[in-house]
Amino acid sequence: MQYGPAAFNTAKVILMLRFLLKRLGLAALVALTVSLISFSLLFLAGDPAVALAGEAATEEDIEAIRTQYGFDRPIPVQYVAWLTGAFTGDFGNSYYFNTPVIDLISDRLPTTMQLGLAGITFALLLAVPLGVIAAIRPNSLIDRFALFISVVGQAMPTFWFSLILIVIFAVNMGWVPVSGSGTWQHFILPTIVLGYFATPGIMRLTRAGMLEVLRADYIRTARAKGLNPAKVLFKHALRNAAIPVVGLAAVQLGFMLGGSIVIESIFALNGAGLLAFESINRNDFPVVQALILLFSLIYVLLTLLADLLNAWLDPRIRVA
Amino acid sequence: MEPLLSVKNLRVEIPVGTGMLKPVRGISFDLQKGETLCIVGESGCGKSLTSLALMGLLPKVARRSGDHLRFAGQDLLGLKERQMAKLRGQDMSMIFQEPMTSLNPAYTIGDQLTEGMIRHQRVSRAEARDRAAFLLEKVGITAAASRLTQYPHQLSGGLRQRVMIAMSLMCGPDLIIADEPTTALDVTIQAKILRMMKNLQAEFGMAMIFITHDLGVVARIADKIAVMYAGAFVETGTAQQIFDAPTHPYTKGLLSCIPVPGKTERGARLGAVPGVVPSLINGVEGCGFASRCPMRQAACGSEPDLTDRGAEHSCRCVHDTDTLRNMEWEAA
Ligand SMILES: Nc1ncnc2c1ncn2[C@@H]1O[C@H](COP(=O)(O)OP(=O)(O)O)[C@@H](O)[C@H]1O
Ligand SMILES: [Mg+2]
């Protein structure tokens, strides 16, 4: 017979490959643009040599710094040099620590990554089931509870929520450490805080999506076949409702990886967010440039991942 | 002989802001094995809700009640959802009006065709796929095997409706309910699909409830016809009785809307019975058709019962049979 699972898979794989190549090309373009922008930031802030030399510097000092750091070369040359370095992971040395930027970042990034991944996982585990249940039973107790959680989640400041958790679970109960990043227990409270703030959006989108999908004609068709309710819900409804959620979760994770500065400082987690914040204050341009490029690349990568996931969820996207 | 399906006094009610909507108000009929009943009526008269009520697929807000709803020996009114789900797809299946939206965009045709059979009959995927390909060919889809790997968006409306028909046949049900299966399709395809359904029914021997707003469509497939108006049957009979001896003024009105080759002048105004349907909120006062009826009189202020007008023929009207049969339809 013509139609085995084999034929089925080849057609699917070819479609997916074409789609993947298209999206990869697009992502590469975006990444290049982003690199240009993050490089230009250095010059947007004024003359980097002046900024580096400090207030008391003389004209000669500034000139010396300019040649030392290569700011006297034409800007396109500097850009190409920087970009070539970036490709090999060489972002120069930190002005402040005088150590390779890449070492600083590879030291800090894992913490941020772990926190971000844990945060989004926590958010999804909390938000998706709540959103689904809220959609199946609108106006029920669970629906109201979900609404309560999302209102509180949006209203409460991060630091306030963090402090409450620290006081209750770290100080009073003593279940988890107060701060630091030594063990996995150190990540529990920051994960909850970070994840909690992504919860309302994901939950409401899941709920709205499920409500809409459950009204769809194809859900009635699925029920008319006599499928059991769980199959109707998870196979036929959730997959379609999940499509917008994937995009949102990717954006949220992007924010988490780039912007958990407050949480990193409250819990004394030495992450990349904190490093970015400090480096900006210290005029440590190479570190700032590298981090911006990195955060943007992560963002581009996440968007790509979300696109691919959606293409897998929704075959209509694959041909686009 | 015990009928396959016996419906007695089926009602559907939906609470709405200003009271209780009563879109199905006490419907009764029997359907024998292999027989085709056509339910005909204007849009909004409660045809879809009737079919959904039979399948146990009403929207959550709607309430179903009745004296009995016996299918193959058991009363569906008393069944739990889980027991009902065992029958659906397996013993009774349904074809919907909207082929464009009735298939899940995320799964292949093959997946959607086979999943019901795999659940009900515990067959292997390969067996179910063989059956699906066989049925796709039966419903006139060429290259059936390769269609199984396609997604709904790759198929036209006509093809999707053929897929829906094949899907309804997967488990070899005893009863198929088709709710305006050709309404969304263009006329040339309509005729083909209708003929195909008639052939399939002859081949597989299932009973069918065929729902339509177009009396012209039913002549070719109906054994029995029920004319529905404002949530209730106003006339029921064999196809021959309805076409040769229409009794209720509404039936005559509907018949006057069908173009007759050679008889209807070109360009003659055809279309709908003029007038509007009464509100179904909190039931209907008197005869619901009175305001549109050329024969209305004072007695129409109270709703008449469905009374016998010959063997298997019944009509809901205060007038006697002879008066009704002799009346020529002209819009009120
Ligand atoms: N979910 C619902 N909520 C409220 N009213 C409904 C609902 N579904 C159908 N109705 C109403 O019930 C009546 C009958 O609908 P329906 O059975 O779909 O008619 P038909 O199929 O004959 O066109 C219509 O007036 C329609 O507006
Ligand atoms: Mg309808």
Side-chain angles (χ1 to χ4, degrees):
Chain A
M1 282 267 157
Q2 284 290 305
Y3 54 86
F8 171 70
N9 282 335
T10 348
K12 216 167 167 179
V13 163
I14 289 175
L15 261 180
M16 275 309 264
L17 267 179
R18 243 189 20 213
F19 178 82
L20 181 72
L21 282 178
K22 247 187 220 172
R23 289 299 143 113
L24 268 178
L26 211 64
L29 269 179
V30 173
L32 203 68
T33 316
V34 162
S35 76
L36 195 62
I37 293 172
S38 52
F39 175 78
S40 323
L41 282 178
L42 181 57
F43 299 93
L44 286 179
D47 188 337
V50 175
L52 268 179
E55 314 238 318
T58 63
E59 223 19 72
E60 285 91 77
D61 293 339
I62 295 174
E63 211 43 58
I65 285 176
R66 188 163 286 144
T67 32
Q68 184 194 336
Y69 286 101
F71 294 142
D72 52 347
R73 295 171 299 168
I75 289 179
V77 174
Q78 291 185 51
Y79 171 64
V80 170
W82 178 72
L83 194 63
T84 344
F87 263 112
T88 58
D90 176 13
F91 291 94
N93 281 358
S94 155
Y95 298 161
Y96 184 82
F97 294 104
N98 212 13
T99 52
V101 170
I102 193 68
D103 292 351
L104 275 173
I105 292 180
S106 52
D107 216 33
R108 307 287 195 99
L109 201 60
T111 306
T112 301
M113 294 282 241
Q114 280 163 15
L115 183 59
L117 286 175
I120 198 72
T121 308
F122 176 79
L124 286 171
L125 286 180
L126 183 65
V128 171
L130 268 181
V132 169
I133 297 173
I136 305 173
R137 305 226 178 291
N139 303 317
S140 65
L141 220 63
I142 296 228
D143 190 16
R144 273 149 222 249
F145 172 68
L147 182 70
F148 171 78
I149 288 213
S150 78
V151 168
V152 172
Q154 281 179 329
M156 202 161 38
T158 314
F159 72 91
W160 177 239
F161 185 44
S162 308
L163 289 181
I164 291 178
L165 289 187
I166 290 176
V167 168
I168 297 177
F169 295 106
V171 179
N172 283 346
M173 309 279 203
W175 289 351
V176 285
V178 175
S179 66
S181 56
T183 66
W184 64 270
Q185 283 101 328
H186 285 98
F187 282 88
I188 294 177
L189 292 188
T191 296
I192 293 175
V193 176
L194 196 61
Y196 186 47
F197 286 92
T199 299
I202 296 176
M203 185 163 60
R204 282 199 324 231
L205 204 61
T206 306
R207 181 182 185 274
M210 280 302 277
L211 274 177
E212 194 186 318
V213 168
L214 284 174
R215 274 197 303 266
D217 288 338
Y218 57 77
I219 295 301
R220 198 178 53 189
T221 307
R223 292 184 57 213
K225 281 181 225 175
L227 302 184
N228 67 45
K231 194 122 192 189
V232 174
L233 199 65
F234 293 110
K235 178 174 174 183
H236 286 277
L238 191 56
R239 175 155 177 173
N240 286 290
I243 290 163
V245 175
V246 167
L248 178 65
V251 171
Q252 302 260 34
L253 179 57
F255 280 140
M256 287 179 181
L257 294 180
S260 45
I261 298 171
V262 176
I263 290 172
E264 284 183 9
S265 50
I266 292 177
F267 291 97
L269 289 169
N270 243 337
L274 203 58
L275 178 65
F277 180 67
E278 289 166 348
S279 300
I280 289 168
N281 285 340
R282 293 172 190 142
N283 282 335
D284 198 348
F285 294 119
V287 180
V288 177
Q289 278 177 318
L291 280 174
I292 289 177
L293 184 66
L294 209 68
F295 287 150
S296 311
L297 284 182
I298 290 176
Y299 214 91
V300 169
L301 221 65
L302 284 175
T303 317
L304 183 71
L305 211 68
D307 278 353
L308 290 179
L309 204 55
N310 274 343
W312 175 70
L313 287 173
D314 183 354
R316 284 168 302 181
I317 299 175
R318 278 172 227 163
V319 280
Chain B
M1 188 171 63
E2 168 88 353
L4 174 69
L5 175 69
S6 169
V7 178
K8 188 79 197 288
N9 225 352
L10 178 68
R11 301 175 167 277
V12 175
E13 303 191 332
I14 302 176
V16 288
T18 47
M20 190 64 91
L21 185 74
K22 301 188 171 170
V24 180
R25 305 178 299 122
I27 277 180
S28 306
F29 65 88
D30 284 350
L31 188 67
Q32 304 295 335
K33 283 199 176 71
E35 204 174 34
T36 301
L37 167 72
C38 282
I39 302 179
V40 189
E42 290 165 305
S43 170
C45 72
K47 304 182 298 293
S48 292
L49 288 177
T50 302
S51 54
L52 293 174
L54 296 176
M55 293 287 294
L57 289 173
L58 284 171
K60 269 196 196 132
V61 287
R63 293 181 208 146
R64 178 181 77 170
S65 61
D67 295 348
H68 68 242
L69 181 52
R70 255 199 299 277
F71 174 72
Q74 54 181 335
D75 192 346
L76 305 186
L77 288 179
L79 288 192
K80 300 223 164 53
E81 170 59 25
R82 196 144 43 88
Q83 298 165 299
M84 202 56 219
K86 283 214 175 101
L87 296 179
R88 268 191 235 122
Q90 166 70 11
D91 299 313
M92 57 198 303
S93 58
M94 183 157 178
I95 303 163
F96 298 97
Q97 182 173 346
E98 308 82 7
M100 297 313 278
T101 51
S102 290
L103 288 164
N104 192 331
Y107 295 98
T108 59
I109 302 302
D111 185 308
Q112 297 185 65
L113 276 167
T114 53
E115 60 179 343
M117 189 184 187
I118 291 172
R119 157 163 163 82
H120 288 302
Q121 306 187 347
R122 310 246 163 256
V123 296
S124 70
R125 247 180 97 88
E127 268 175 277
R129 286 190 155 250
D130 279 342
R131 169 95 179 149
F134 166 74
L135 284 174
L136 284 184
E137 257 157 46
K138 280 277 167 211
V139 299
I141 293 184
T142 51
S146 68
R147 297 286 182 185
L148 292 178
T149 62
Q150 289 191 309
Y151 288 93
H153 72 268
Q154 296 168 289
L155 271 52
S156 69
L159 281 183
R160 288 190 215 186
Q161 196 60 304
R162 288 173 197 261
V163 169
M164 291 299 291
I165 294 169
M167 193 183 287
S168 73
L169 294 169
M170 280 297 288
C171 297
D174 300 320
L175 171 66
I176 287 191
I177 302 175
D179 184 6
E180 310 214 27
T182 61
T183 303
L185 307 174
D186 69 58
V187 190
T188 51
I189 298 177
Q190 270 188 27
K192 275 190 207 154
I193 293 211
L194 224 56
R195 201 173 323 124
M196 179 197 84
M197 289 183 71
K198 185 73 196 156
N199 292 340
L200 287 171
Q201 194 194 5
E203 182 172 350
F204 294 111
M206 68 269 178
M208 179 153 74
I209 298 177
F210 190 98
I211 292 173
T212 177
H213 65 270
D214 181 0
L215 201 45
V217 160
V218 306
R220 271 169 283 173
I221 52 170
D223 297 315
K224 293 197 289 197
I225 294 176
V227 179
M228 189 167 183
Y229 183 81
F233 288 168
V234 293
E235 181 165 1
T236 63
T238 63
Q240 198 173 10
Q241 286 165 341
I242 299 293
F243 282 100
D244 294 349
T247 307
H248 197 281
Y250 179 61
T251 309
K252 295 191 177 197
L254 285 179
L255 283 168
S256 77
C257 299
I258 307 174
V260 183
K263 225 171 127 189
T264 310
E265 284 171 47
R266 283 186 80 87
R269 216 184 73 86
L270 291 165
V273 179
V276 290
V277 193
S279 159
L280 296 172
I281 294 175
N282 300 326
V284 176
E285 280 282 320
C287 173
F289 190 61
S291 71
R292 308 164 72 180
C293 183
M295 304 177 77
R296 97 178 134 254
Q297 56 177 48
C300 299
S302 64
E303 184 165 42
D305 288 329
L306 204 57
T307 50
D308 283 346
R309 312 289 174 136
E312 289 191 81
H313 197 172
S314 65
C315 172
R316 188 188 297 274
C317 185
V318 292
H319 292 287
D320 65 64
T321 309
D322 287 336
T323 318
L324 287 168
R325 297 253 163 92
N326 293 329
M327 159 252 185
E328 276 285 326
W329 167 262
E330 55 183 299

